[in-house]
Amino acid sequence: MDGRSGLSRPHLVVMVLFDCVQLLDVTGPLEVFAAANDQGARYRLLTASCDGQEVVTTAGARLAADVALEEFTGTVDTLIIPGRPDWRAAVSDASLIAGISRLAGFSRRVASVCAGAFPLAATGLLDGRRAATHWCLTGDLARYFPCIQVDPDSIFVRDGHLISSAGVTSGIDLALSLVEEDFGPQVARAAAKYLVVFMARPGGQSQFSVRQAARQPRHQVVRQVMDDVTADPAADHSLQTVADRVGVSVRQLTRLFRAETGMTVIRFVEQIRIEAAQGLLESGTDPLDVVARRSGFGSEETLRRAFQRERGVTPGTYRARFRTTFTAHSATAQAH
């Protein structure tokens, strides 16, 4: 029996399929539910497409549908809408939008993954609500659907019975949260462990690698500095030391680095060290003074100040957020 909902029947999850859907948007959440079933959950998984037709994903893989989107009847516990890179094509597919709208009418909760927020938004269900999508699409979502309050950073956003997640793999985070809601944290944690993923990712969409997020430099000196800092965050990266290491003056390094990356060397070093500390907090149980030393902050107090300023939480709180999905990313609004 589902301990949260009190239902003896399996919890029905319907995944919507359509051509050019992002493959991982579909398979990521479904694998989470399947793994949860191996840990004691009771999910029944169905796929639905317009006319029940087979679809071709962005990866070229073909997916067969179990049912026709426009014909399925009965209560749906969770309806999931994945995305496709060309969200405009999805939004303009009248049959798809009508099918989602119809099915959402008798779904207990509705979720979107990545660009799936666009076809969901096209139904009007997100009007006046908060929603998330892939970080590179948040501007498009806000412009195309101005009635939606777009959250540009959250991994997923929950507003009433509607849940929307950010880019691609965030569908896994969303699904784990749903498993926790349905069958409790132990089942969700066991599923996450089996899949070798975090129970709950810390941070928002801005958590992607600092080295990759920074403007990619053309100058060899700047590239060397960035590579050196990333390779060993705990090393001495004071401005004079870094300049000496690459054979330029502090003034020249400062000018080059800002021009090429849009930030100062000191700022880049701190961001890399925060990222390194995050990894240590996520994956281990070392005391905070050890984490501070290994990530280059030197002292626990310096680490604490940097985390509080940049992440809005203490290192201890950050680490604790791995214990449950609910405290990490789920931005819950009042039910309408």
Side-chain angles (χ1 to χ4, degrees):
M1 178 178 289
D2 180 326
R4 295 298 178 93
S5 65
L7 298 176
S8 58
R9 63 174 177 82
H11 181 116
L12 178 61
V13 175
V14 176
M15 174 70 73
V16 177
L17 301 181
F18 46 93
D19 276 331
C20 297
V21 70
Q22 191 95 19
L23 181 60
L24 192 55
D25 286 6
V26 175
T27 58
L30 291 181
E31 285 291 349
V32 169
F33 296 126
N37 280 345
D38 291 336
Q39 306 300 328
R42 295 188 64 214
Y43 287 106
R44 180 186 173 210
L45 308 177
L46 287 179
T47 55
S49 70
C50 291
D51 297 323
Q53 295 295 308
E54 178 183 82
V55 304
V56 180
T57 70
T58 52
R62 295 180 177 274
L63 298 178
D66 297 309
V67 297
L69 187 60
E70 63 276 9
E71 295 177 1
F72 183 80
T73 58
T75 301
V76 176
D77 294 297
T78 302
L79 176 66
I80 301 180
I81 301 100
R84 61 177 291 179
D86 183 3
W87 58 265
R88 289 178 177 83
V91 167
S92 62
D93 187 336
S95 296
L96 174 65
I97 303 307
I100 292 172
S101 182
R102 189 186 73 87
L103 210 55
F106 43 86
S107 296
R108 185 168 65 85
R109 65 188 177 198
V110 181
S112 65
V113 179
C114 193
F118 287 87
L120 178 57
T123 67
L125 291 172
L126 288 177
D127 287 355
R129 296 180 182 267
R130 297 178 62 238
T133 189
H134 193 289
W135 62 268
C136 72
L137 297 175
T138 54
D140 289 337
L141 186 63
R143 283 189 296 272
Y144 205 82
F145 298 100
C147 292
I148 298 174
Q149 303 169 45
V150 180
D151 186 326
D153 189 54
S154 294
I155 295 297
F156 59 84
V157 170
R158 182 187 300 263
D159 191 336
H161 73 294
L162 301 174
I163 312 105
S164 51
S165 75
V168 196
T169 59
S170 64
I172 294 173
D173 300 78
L174 181 149
L176 283 168
S177 179
L178 299 183
V179 170
E180 180 174 9
E181 178 182 322
D182 297 334
F183 295 97
Q186 289 186 338
V187 173
R189 191 174 296 114
K193 184 176 181 180
Y194 175 77
L195 293 170
V196 198
V197 296
F198 292 123
M199 173 71 162
R201 256 188 285 187
Q205 295 195 71
S206 57
Q207 72 182 323
F208 48 74
S209 171
V210 174
R211 177 67 176 85
Q212 296 302 316
R215 295 179 198 164
Q216 297 309 299
R218 292 171 294 178
H219 202 288
Q220 176 59 37
V221 165
V222 179
R223 288 200 301 271
Q224 182 181 336
V225 171
M226 296 177 79
D227 290 342
D228 288 348
V229 174
T230 304
D232 188 5
D236 180 1
H237 297 303
S238 62
L239 200 54
Q240 186 65 62
T241 300
V242 172
D244 291 345
R245 195 159 57 221
V246 295
V248 298
S249 68
V250 168
R251 182 177 180 181
Q252 184 181 7
L253 174 62
T254 300
R255 179 182 59 79
L256 275 174
F257 202 90
R258 183 181 285 279
E260 291 274 307
T261 69
M263 68 176 75
T264 66
V265 175
I266 300 304
R267 173 69 172 170
F268 179 77
V269 170
E270 183 179 62
Q271 290 298 302
I272 288 292
R273 285 174 171 168
I274 288 175
E275 189 173 75
Q278 287 179 182
L280 293 169
L281 292 168
E282 293 162 10
S283 61
T285 57
D286 287 337
L288 293 183
D289 61 331
V290 175
V291 171
R293 209 162 48 244
R294 290 178 61 192
S295 59
F297 282 104
S299 72
E300 181 178 341
E301 182 55 33
T302 303
L303 170 66
R304 191 185 308 278
R305 286 200 304 268
F307 248 78
Q308 190 71 54
R309 182 178 63 254
E310 297 296 328
R311 296 295 182 262
V313 295
T314 65
T317 300
Y318 182 94
R319 172 178 275 167
R321 287 182 172 181
F322 273 91
R323 298 174 185 171
T324 173
T325 62
F326 288 112
T327 57
H329 304 302
S330 179
T332 306
Q334 291 290 329
H336 288 243

